[in-house]
Amino acid sequence: LNGTSPADRQIKRAQELMDEGRGDEARKLMLEALSAARLEKNEEQEAEALIALVLASSPRRGIGDRERHFRELEKKEGHLKTPALRALFHRARAAFRLDEGDQEGAARAFEEALDACASAPDDEKQNHGIQACVTRADYIHLLCSLKRLKEAQAMLISCEEYARENTGLEGGALLQVALEAGIHLSLECGDQQGAIDRISELEASATSARLADRVGGDLLNVANQSSH
């Protein structure tokens, strides 16, 4: 996933900008990466740029055009050769299905993403493990919404375990998304202490002002949930 072509470099930088909370700059760079990939006639890189745009869009907040990007992405599915890219495609499809209100379709997409991650041994950059962990975190949020809490609890074990064993991956963001899923599940289960413990763990792991802000938001959410 980390090549040396212009499109590859732009996508990588865009992902870094997203992690820094600079979404507008990131999406602009993703569009530039898409144009570069098309100029290079590189179908796989074009698909990767489209995946990034789909995942970075948010119709509810009026950000990006997820439907248009996903429709373009669907045409590129056959060019996705690696398990990590196939997993990313299914994550993008899950996001699109959720926009349509199709929760069961999103659940199937998450399952296919996990199957893609498990289809081959992990690579040296741990791309399969990272995608599996993020997919599980996203899926846990959906399972909470569907009240399939036992499935979510089983999934959380491996999600948090992997994130805690690999705290250096993705600049600490992997642990963040796993713990946020755990917080959501704890609240759904009425386990206020479990939510508080995870927020404390998030606070201890905060390595940037942006992450600290996210932790503050989680604390506020717990307070709101506890007051109901």
Side-chain angles (χ1 to χ4, degrees), residues 33-134:
L34 180 60
S35 295
R38 285 172 173 166
L39 282 172
E40 296 167 9
K41 301 188 185 302
N42 189 316
E43 299 277 2
E44 187 171 68
Q45 287 177 354
E46 185 178 346
E48 189 175 345
L50 286 167
I51 287 168
L53 283 162
V54 171
L55 293 175
S57 299
S58 175
R60 282 173 291 183
R61 291 184 290 165
I63 297 172
D65 189 344
R66 178 173 280 163
E67 181 174 3
R68 178 169 65 86
H69 295 314
F70 181 73
R71 294 305 184 194
E72 292 175 351
L73 174 61
E74 282 186 304
K75 301 172 186 175
K76 308 296 178 185
E77 184 178 1
H79 297 281
L80 304 177
K81 305 302 182 185
T82 68
L85 270 180
R86 290 199 299 274
L88 278 162
F89 169 80
H90 292 304
R91 282 182 55 207
R93 185 156 58 87
F96 177 70
R97 294 295 178 226
L98 286 173
D99 287 344
E100 293 188 315
D102 182 5
Q103 291 182 314
E104 292 301 330
R108 288 192 295 273
F110 283 134
E111 293 285 355
E112 288 183 76
L114 291 173
D115 287 344
C117 293
S119 66
D122 210 352
D123 59 21
E124 61 181 19
K125 296 183 185 299
Q126 295 180 253
N127 283 316
H128 306 171
I130 291 168
Q131 288 305 317
C133 186
V134 175

Side-chain angles (χ1 to χ4, degrees), residues 118-179:
S119 66
D122 210 352
D123 59 21
E124 61 181 19
K125 296 183 185 299
Q126 295 180 253
N127 283 316
H128 306 171
I130 291 168
Q131 288 305 317
C133 186
V134 175
T135 298
R136 288 188 179 102
D138 288 345
Y139 196 6
I140 287 164
H141 289 296
L142 175 58
L143 290 172
C144 286
S145 298
L146 295 171
K147 304 302 180 185
R148 291 161 55 180
L149 301 184
K150 287 187 177 180
E151 292 174 69
Q153 287 169 331
M155 191 164 292
L156 181 64
I157 293 171
S158 54
C159 180
E160 288 187 329
E161 183 180 83
Y162 184 87
R164 288 179 175 128
E165 289 175 354
N166 296 278
T167 54
L169 292 176
E170 305 296 295
L174 202 62
L175 181 60
Q176 179 188 347
V177 298
L179 289 172

Side-chain angles (χ1 to χ4, degrees), residues 5 137 167 173 192:
S5 75
T167 54
Q192 183 178 351

